[in-house]
Amino acid sequence: MAYTKVWDRLSRPLRDLRISVTDKCNFRCRYCMPEELFGTDYKFLDRNQLLSFQEIIRLVHLFADLGVEKIRITGGEPLLRPNLPQLIQHMNQVQSIRDISLTTNGSLLAKYAGELKEAGLKRITVSLDSLDDERFGQMNGKGFRVGPVLQGIDEAARAGLQIKINMVVQNGINEQDILPMARYFREKGHIVRFIEFMDVGNSNGWRLNHVVPSKKIVELIHREMPLEPLEPNYVGEVASRYRYLGSNQEIGFISSVTQTFCSTCTRARLSAEGSLYTCLFGAHGTDLRTLLREGVDDDGIKEHIMTVWKHRVDRYSEVRLSNTLELNKKKVEMFHIGG
């Protein structure tokens, strides 16, 4: 089958692929894997249930044939997957993939930053919700301190990786950390993106009154450090971009609750066990692992992927506040498909 692009029923192209390489995580963040539900006896996927690196690379080639240009590696915590730099090295050999990035909690980043850069990784996103040790420890559910994460960010910068920091803001939990985060990473020269708390998965106890609207965050920062809006880098960019007035230092805001961006979403997601999801809030995936392991040829798997995407009508965030049944449906957990 020749290279071809594919669009869904809302005329959105398939352009981005997020790949979860493991469901395991060493944190128990309240909005993803609360400790009381995912304790020490929780059984993660067995190794043979995960896609092998060979299977992942095969799928990357097939998705690239269908128009995918950008890959984001996620988890769980992706740096828990052994030999991850080898996977990145192989991904870099897929000619039409022009951007490979990784999302991490940063706890292991100091150890692996150099290897990741040598393997060809260009960008990382570090999830960090507070600079306060006590609050951060409570939020990550393991008492993990901020210092090692900041050390990892510094090591990644020294290695030459581009860095963004994602902060999920929750009303009554970490609002007080907004300005300290903005100040600290402005000084460091790294982009911070403030994210509205979302109802991903089924375990985080999400309520609308837990959401701090991005508009409020922009106003808070603007009062101390004046901001001006920037144009999007490309159609479908998730974050609204600003810069500090009189500088080139950027800051971003992801408003998936109050200012949805479903209409330009070009992202497919591959779960740790090899299921294809067409939405972060999806309830059911399409099993690609079985096709791989039962010997279906490349054209057959591509036809399968094309069929799924062509029937895609997902726009969960747009109907969240008006469709109670949609809101209450069981959704895939975030640690299976990344953020």
Side-chain angles (χ1 to χ4, degrees):
M1 182 184 296
Y3 175 88
T4 182
K5 290 194 174 184
V6 57
W7 284 263
D8 70 10
R9 290 173 63 182
L10 300 178
S11 299
R12 297 169 296 187
L14 174 57
R15 190 183 65 192
D16 306 79
L17 179 63
R18 301 196 169 189
I19 302 174
S20 175
V21 294
T22 181
D23 61 330
K24 292 180 180 178
C25 190
N26 53 347
F27 283 8
R28 289 296 180 271
C29 297
R30 300 297 309 169
Y31 55 79
C32 182
M33 299 181 68
E35 179 73 23
E36 64 270 21
L37 297 178
F38 303 95
T40 54
D41 59 344
Y42 181 77
K43 184 172 174 56
F44 291 101
L45 295 170
D46 293 332
R47 183 175 179 179
N48 66 348
Q49 293 176 285
L50 298 173
L51 290 179
S52 69
F53 283 180
Q54 183 178 9
E55 290 169 333
I56 292 173
I57 291 300
R58 184 181 172 195
L59 286 174
V60 168
H61 277 280
L62 300 183
F63 275 95
D65 287 348
L66 297 176
V68 165
E69 301 173 348
K70 299 174 65 177
I71 301 287
R72 179 176 291 275
I73 299 168
T74 67
E77 171 46 51
L79 295 182
L80 291 174
R81 180 77 185 253
N83 304 312
L84 186 64
Q86 292 181 14
L87 177 65
I88 294 168
Q89 194 170 33
H90 287 296
M91 284 183 178
N92 263 311
Q93 296 171 10
V94 183
Q95 290 185 349
S96 55
I97 300 299
R98 60 179 180 83
D99 183 64
I100 301 172
S101 60
L102 178 144
T103 296
T104 173
N105 62 31
S107 60
L108 300 171
L109 187 55
K111 179 179 179 180
Y112 292 112
E115 291 181 51
L116 293 168
K117 176 63 176 178
E118 289 176 10
L121 190 71
K122 295 185 174 55
R123 299 190 297 114
I124 61 164
T125 297
V126 179
S127 299
L128 179 62
D129 300 323
S130 177
L131 291 172
D132 178 87
D133 271 330
E134 182 177 356
R135 197 152 43 250
F136 181 59
Q138 291 172 349
M139 294 185 75
N140 65 51
K142 288 294 186 181
F144 198 90
R145 299 174 71 85
V146 181
V149 177
L150 298 181
Q151 181 186 356
I153 292 169
D154 288 343
E155 288 295 330
R158 277 191 284 271
L161 290 165
Q162 299 174 34
I163 300 164
K164 290 181 180 176
I165 314 298
N166 278 357
M167 176 185 176
V168 176
V169 182
Q170 298 179 63
N171 185 31
I173 303 294
N174 64 339
E175 279 181 285
Q176 62 269 53
D177 295 300
I178 294 170
L179 284 173
M181 288 281 286
R183 295 183 194 118
Y184 181 85
F185 288 109
R186 180 186 184 185
E187 179 68 24
K188 285 285 186 177
H190 303 319
I191 298 171
V192 182
R193 298 187 300 188
F194 296 92
I195 303 175
E196 293 179 345
F197 179 42
M198 294 180 288
D199 49 328
V200 180
N202 313 283
S203 310
N204 65 9
W206 184 89
R207 295 291 183 275
L208 184 59
N209 61 2
H210 294 170
V211 177
V212 180
S214 288
K215 182 179 179 181
K216 179 179 177 181
I217 302 173
V218 172
E219 291 171 349
L220 176 67
I221 297 172
H222 181 74
R223 283 197 293 269
E224 179 179 320
M225 296 169 277
L227 303 174
E228 59 182 356
L230 295 172
E231 292 296 321
N233 282 315
Y234 53 88
V235 175
E237 185 171 25
V238 169
S240 298
R241 301 167 59 236
Y242 288 74
R243 68 181 171 198
Y244 297 102
L245 198 63
S247 78
N248 290 320
Q249 178 61 38
E250 187 178 324
I251 187 170
F253 304 89
I254 298 177
S255 314
S256 67
V257 177
T258 63
Q259 300 174 47
T260 63
F261 38 81
C262 296
S263 63
T264 57
C265 178
T266 60
R267 291 173 292 283
R269 290 175 164 83
L270 191 62
S271 75
E273 62 270 50
S275 289
L276 171 62
Y277 287 84
T278 56
C279 181
L280 176 61
F281 305 96
H284 304 288
T286 299
D287 180 11
L288 299 183
R289 186 185 65 192
T290 297
L291 300 181
L292 292 167
R293 296 183 181 180
E294 289 187 348
V296 176
D297 65 17
D298 287 355
D299 285 353
I301 296 174
K302 280 195 284 189
E303 286 285 359
H304 210 75
I305 295 168
M306 288 174 66
T307 298
V308 171
W309 193 263
K310 285 179 178 180
H311 286 86
R312 177 187 188 234
V313 292
D314 300 293
R315 53 187 194 96
Y316 177 87
S317 291
E318 291 182 350
V319 302
R320 174 193 280 112
L321 303 182
S322 60
N323 188 332
T324 304
L325 291 176
E326 182 78 5
L327 177 62
N328 291 330
K329 75 177 183 181
K330 186 174 177 63
K331 304 183 289 291
V332 62
E333 296 291 355
M334 185 163 63
F335 62 90
H336 277 276
I337 60 169

